[in-house]
Amino acid sequence: MTAYREIRETRPEPWRHADGTGERLARGLGWFSLALGLAQVAAPAGMARLIGVPDEEENVTAMRAVGLREIASGLGILATRRPARAGWVWARVGGDAIDLALLGRAWASDRSDTERVAAATAAVAGVMALDLLCGRRLDDPDGRRR
């Protein structure tokens, strides 16, 4: 049992660098933000349809704005040598909250495809869980509770 504990304690989790932080996960989330944001800016009507909302001007404009926010977060994470010090991952969490609010508005609309909105909501909730995990790891790399 002791040998297992020693191996487990010396092997970092996949989202951590050897120094015990969540910077590897943060970098992955940065690239995800950048790719998603570019898609939202380049093809906002298509992305609106993908998540189940009509590709009307109001939704297209909102999609572009959300895309710009994603690009800013992604660049902020990737351009910062130590994402833990910049707070960009927590900016992603705030963005996730905004996205969930916008999806809540889509749920209330009778013009939305509820199955697609449900899938998009589940995806955003899953990414938000990763963002929260990453933020906690960056704030507390040794796993201590503060």
Side-chain angles (χ1 to χ4, degrees):
M1 192 68 144
T2 304
Y4 172 75
R5 175 183 250 165
E6 288 174 11
I7 291 170
R8 187 168 172 231
E9 289 174 357
T10 59
R11 195 182 83 203
E13 286 94 352
W15 61 81
R16 292 185 181 187
H17 276 303
D19 65 358
T21 68
E23 290 182 21
R24 183 174 170 193
L25 178 57
R27 298 266 180 237
L29 290 169
W31 284 110
F32 174 76
S33 273
L34 195 56
L36 179 60
L38 288 171
Q40 290 170 317
V41 169
M47 292 297 288
R49 287 190 304 273
L50 181 69
I51 66 166
V53 298
D55 58 356
E56 299 166 345
E57 188 60 34
E58 180 182 1
N59 294 333
V60 168
T61 300
M63 187 62 69
R64 278 193 187 108
V66 168
L68 290 172
R69 186 203 69 228
E70 286 287 350
I71 291 169
S73 294
L75 289 175
I77 290 170
L78 295 172
T80 305
R81 189 169 167 205
R82 302 277 327 244
R85 295 190 180 146
W88 286 106
V89 171
W90 290 114
R92 281 190 45 80
V93 173
D96 296 334
I98 292 168
D99 295 345
L100 289 173
L102 289 170
L103 287 165
R105 183 173 174 213
W107 273 100
S109 172
D110 58 349
R111 301 187 54 174
S112 297
D113 180 336
T114 55
E115 289 180 13
R116 287 182 178 265
V117 173
T121 302
V124 171
V127 170
M128 185 177 201
L130 283 175
D131 289 337
L132 287 165
L133 173 68
C134 185
R136 296 238 358 190
R137 295 289 181 193
L138 290 170
D139 283 351
D140 190 13
D142 297 325
R144 297 180 310 268
R145 302 273 185 231
R146 293 180 195 176

